[in-house]
Amino acid sequence: MPSSLAFKSVTRNWILPSLPVSSKLKFASRLRVHASSTGNRSVLPSDTVGSDGPAHLSNGDGNIKSGAIDGGNGRVGSKRERKRLVKDMVSEELEVLWDDGLEKQTVKDYLDIARDMIKPDGGPPRWFCPVACGRPIQGSPLLLFLPGMDGVGLGLLLHHKSLGRVFEVRCMHIPVYDRTPFEGLVKFVENMVVLEHSFSPNKPIYLVGDSFGGCLALAVAARNPTIDLVLVLVNPATSFGKSQLQPLLPIMETLPDELHITVPYLLSLIMGDPMKMALVNVEYGLPPAQKLEQFSRNLTSFLPRLSGLADIMPKDTFSWKMKLLKAGAAYANSRLHAVKAEVLLLASGKDNMLPSRPEAQRLSTLLQNCQVRYFKDNGHTLLLEDGINLLTVIKATYMYRRSKRHDYISDFIPPSVTEVKEVFDEINGLFRLATSPVMFSTLKDGKIVRGLSGIPNEGPVLLVGNHILLGYELSTLIEAILRERKVIIRGLAHPAMFSDYFNGSEFSTIELINAFGTSPVSASNLFKLLSTKSYVLLYPGGAREAVHRKDEEYKLVWPEDAEFVRMAARFGATIVPFGVVGEDNTAEVVLDYNYLMAIPSRDSLKELNQNSVKLRADARGEVANEDLYSPGFLPKSGRFYYLFGKPIETKGRMDELKERDNANLLYLQVKSEVESIVSYLIKKREEDPYRGILERTVYRAFSAPVNGVPTFDP
């Protein structure tokens, strides 16, 4: 790509004239918007980079000329105009398996674009919207990216497309020779925050602060405690006083100009992990030789480009940025007590520039509403390294919202292609290989067929079944329906699954699975899901069934009352009973709840359950005992078998099922169906010639992939 076009192809300003969508797309390449630090906006030609103060307009060949901005016709002066603009610029809701484009860019692209973005360089700080962000979905909140010490504003390059579908993304660019002091930068960001808050006072504003940008985000939040802000801080530079860079500063500042070219290479070793950067876009499923070839190609392509960092960080600019970092850290640290915003803090375990992990621990104790997630194998430039999907992290920690409070149903974002690949291929691939799940379903005429064609084509659908030990059947069930039917199953889980006890500080697999649509089990969440015609996964046995005792394999521990029948009838949902069995429940329980409660370590178990939510405190029977614990068990390698029973229609039966006796009869019918399915699968698995892992492995080696291994005839 010609260098004069590189910046234009990656950055744009948002379109403001009130035009029909077709006209807006037609003129998108010819109009941009200037956003000044005072909040004024005006329409500029497409080759303009908006800035504060006098504009610098490109004449089309990459050269810069100065010119005044006419702030007349394009000025947005009212909320009505703003709303009309947003309506024209939003896209449809996201579909399941949408393309997030996460692996389309690399660090090489970052260095190439940054090199062209700073040439020519003029004017004070400015905002730009990356072209790759596209159009966000309806109601998307604003996300402002605040860059690290480089100031370029391309730190989200790998995430532009994914974030741009659910956020209105704008990135801050600080020109190389800009010398705006820290408080001036704070004011610049603050003006945009205040302006956008006036347009949409009921929507949150996200500030993603990378390193130095984390200091900016904290400072703005401290000065604006009444504005609904969500901070995502990535290795914030509040610990700059303890930076490993400190001993090197005097040496760097005294280097002769001709030796300053070595600084970028030194910084690259300190700031990030080159190996992690080179792994970006290396495909997971490739043979080892091809993966190594692709990795080597990435590494050799971006290492020579590191010299370009000398243009981004010339000697005088480097000295100035160090002063900014010091001032920013002091400013932010002195005002932490005033930060009321919701904070998600991402910290790298191998940050060679800042002590990010201990700093995260310190900040979590000082900030009022702060979650921390550690990434133990990543370096300082976390957002430019392999294996990090910022949108997934925001989703999985339930930080994404479009209004004042997070709603598990309305704020849900369907899984993307990359998320499905990460969870079900990279993380769950070996488990799927070991269990080789077999899916059966029942048609309306009662015929059992292999596959999921018996599951209804339209919601609302309520899938009601049995848990096996620790809910190990969940991931393969969700994956099978997602891949075959392109439907996301919305699970209802115990509230403890959303607590720090299960998730911890390390970004966990449980959180990734929860990001696929799991919500805390409650009547209100079931109501919302059925009202939106969702496919809902419900386990009446709940936690008690998932952490069952010894000799309780496949025992249904359901409540006596019909909890879900009348709710299903209210929305005309189709109830699909299902059962699943493994190899004697995939594991043999050797230390169960009763045993653990009899030993001295039971105090920690009691403490866990005292702090957890009791869902069925008033229920009768064994299901009322929902104490959580982690059983001791011996794993077994066996095949999973699923059977979805004949669909039960409730549409048009609302008056009938209002009667308690009728509802209980249907409830007992569903329970009986699940028990019959489990008994059927236990018996039929004896006829499977490939029940054993050895037989399946041999068959796959010569004949078929995982899903193609034969089984018994239904």
Side-chain angles (χ1 to χ4, degrees), residues 409-657:
I409 285 73
S410 62
D411 288 326
F412 171 66
I413 301 171
S416 67
V417 172
T418 303
E419 290 171 332
V420 170
K421 183 188 300 184
E422 179 182 4
V423 172
F424 297 122
D425 289 342
E426 299 183 25
I427 296 176
N428 202 52
L430 288 177
F431 183 75
R432 183 178 68 245
L433 189 69
T435 57
S436 296
V438 182
M439 299 285 167
F440 296 99
S441 61
T442 309
L443 305 180
K444 289 184 178 181
D445 61 3
K447 181 181 179 181
I448 298 176
V449 296
R450 186 166 182 180
L452 301 173
S453 56
I455 294 179
N457 294 321
E458 295 183 358
V461 172
L462 190 60
L463 303 170
V464 184
N466 69 299
H467 259 315
I468 62 174
L469 185 65
L470 299 177
Y472 277 131
E473 81 288 346
L474 268 170
S475 59
T476 47
L477 184 153
I478 294 171
E479 179 187 7
I481 296 178
L482 180 60
R483 291 192 187 277
E484 184 173 334
R485 302 300 303 273
K486 300 297 186 290
V487 169
I488 185 67
I489 300 299
R490 304 296 305 275
L492 294 170
H494 194 285
M497 297 301 294
F498 304 85
S499 68
D500 291 340
Y501 179 84
F502 282 92
N503 296 314
S505 297
E506 300 284 349
F507 189 63
S508 67
T509 303
I510 291 178
E511 287 182 307
L512 282 175
I513 297 296
N514 286 347
F516 277 65
T518 306
S519 307
V521 62
S522 69
S524 62
N525 282 338
L526 179 59
F527 179 95
K528 292 176 183 178
L529 287 169
L530 294 178
S531 67
T532 56
K533 298 185 177 181
S534 301
Y535 285 66
V536 185
L537 180 61
L538 182 66
Y539 291 99
R544 174 61 180 83
E545 196 170 272
V547 289
H548 57 249
R549 316 309 188 231
K550 292 180 66 175
D551 303 321
E552 288 185 349
E553 293 86 357
Y554 309 122
K555 175 184 176 182
L556 266 59
V557 189
W558 287 21
E560 296 180 10
D561 298 327
E563 296 181 331
F564 58 84
V565 171
R566 279 178 285 185
M567 185 78 79
R570 178 170 184 171
F571 295 99
T574 302
I575 299 174
V576 180
F578 74 90
V580 54
V581 303
E583 186 64 30
D584 294 332
N585 210 15
T586 72
E588 179 182 353
V589 177
V590 292
L591 300 177
D592 67 0
Y593 176 82
N594 297 326
Y595 178 86
L596 294 175
M597 286 298 292
I599 61 178
S601 64
R602 66 182 183 274
D603 291 342
S604 60
L605 191 61
K606 288 182 177 180
E607 183 180 354
L608 164 64
N609 287 287
Q610 285 174 354
N611 297 328
S612 66
V613 178
K614 299 297 183 184
L615 296 177
R616 289 166 168 158
D618 300 328
R620 293 167 293 173
E622 187 62 27
V623 74
N625 181 12
E626 281 199 319
D627 280 359
L628 303 173
Y629 81 105
S630 180
F633 61 90
L634 297 175
K636 297 180 180 180
S637 175
R639 198 168 194 184
F640 279 14
Y641 303 88
Y642 298 78
L643 172 57
F644 295 86
K646 184 177 180 180
I648 301 172
E649 301 282 351
T650 66
K651 189 174 183 179
R653 301 177 63 184
M654 184 173 176
D655 291 338
E656 170 196 348
L657 295 174

Side-chain angles (χ1 to χ4, degrees), residues 91-100 133 135-138 140 161-167 391 395 400 402 411-416 419 488:
S91 65
E92 299 296 327
E93 289 295 316
L94 292 174
E95 299 292 334
V96 175
L97 298 175
W98 56 281
D99 180 14
D100 57 13
C133 288
R135 298 188 300 162
I137 59 176
Q138 180 73 38
S140 295
K161 187 171 183 178
S162 59
L163 292 175
R165 296 304 306 276
V166 297
F167 290 103
L391 178 58
K395 286 169 50 179
Y400 182 79
R402 294 178 245 190
D411 288 326
F412 171 66
I413 301 171
S416 67
E419 290 171 332
I488 185 67

Side-chain angles (χ1 to χ4, degrees), residues 273-496:
D273 186 341
M275 301 302 176
K276 283 282 187 180
M277 294 179 182
L279 281 170
V280 172
N281 88 347
V282 174
E283 298 180 27
Y284 169 73
L286 291 177
Q290 292 185 32
K291 290 178 71 173
L292 179 60
E293 180 183 356
Q294 193 171 349
F295 166 77
S296 301
R297 187 165 58 247
N298 287 350
L299 188 62
T300 55
S301 65
F302 89 79
L303 285 179
R305 288 172 168 81
L306 289 177
S307 60
L309 291 176
D311 297 324
I312 298 173
M313 201 80 65
K315 184 176 179 180
D316 291 344
T317 299
F318 179 81
S319 298
W320 172 254
K321 291 294 177 69
M322 294 302 104
K323 294 176 183 177
L324 268 184
L325 280 169
K326 184 176 180 180
Y331 189 103
N333 280 316
S334 66
R335 291 163 175 79
L336 293 177
H337 63 280
V339 176
K340 309 295 182 184
E342 193 175 1
V343 179
L344 173 61
L345 205 162
L346 312 182
S348 297
K350 294 183 179 178
D351 189 340
N352 294 321
M353 180 177 174
L354 298 170
S356 290
R357 185 172 185 119
E359 179 65 5
Q361 295 173 343
R362 184 184 76 91
L363 290 176
S364 66
T365 62
L366 298 175
L367 296 172
Q368 301 176 25
N369 186 8
C370 179
Q371 292 189 65
V372 176
R373 292 297 180 271
Y374 296 115
F375 298 84
K376 60 181 180 181
D377 297 322
N378 292 89
H380 184 70
T381 51
L382 181 67
L383 300 178
L384 291 174
E385 296 181 9
D386 177 61
I388 303 299
N389 186 337
L390 182 58
L391 178 58
T392 301
V393 175
I394 293 173
K395 286 169 50 179
T397 51
Y398 298 101
M399 296 287 283
Y400 182 79
R401 54 187 172 90
R402 294 178 245 190
S403 57
K404 290 185 178 298
R405 293 184 179 180
H406 172 80
D407 187 282
Y408 286 96
I409 285 73
S410 62
D411 288 326
F412 171 66
I413 301 171
S416 67
V417 172
T418 303
E419 290 171 332
V420 170
K421 183 188 300 184
E422 179 182 4
V423 172
F424 297 122
D425 289 342
E426 299 183 25
I427 296 176
N428 202 52
L430 288 177
F431 183 75
R432 183 178 68 245
L433 189 69
T435 57
S436 296
V438 182
M439 299 285 167
F440 296 99
S441 61
T442 309
L443 305 180
K444 289 184 178 181
D445 61 3
K447 181 181 179 181
I448 298 176
V449 296
R450 186 166 182 180
L452 301 173
S453 56
I455 294 179
N457 294 321
E458 295 183 358
V461 172
L462 190 60
L463 303 170
V464 184
N466 69 299
H467 259 315
I468 62 174
L469 185 65
L470 299 177
Y472 277 131
E473 81 288 346
L474 268 170
S475 59
T476 47
L477 184 153
I478 294 171
E479 179 187 7
I481 296 178
L482 180 60
R483 291 192 187 277
E484 184 173 334
R485 302 300 303 273
K486 300 297 186 290
V487 169
I488 185 67
I489 300 299
R490 304 296 305 275
L492 294 170
H494 194 285

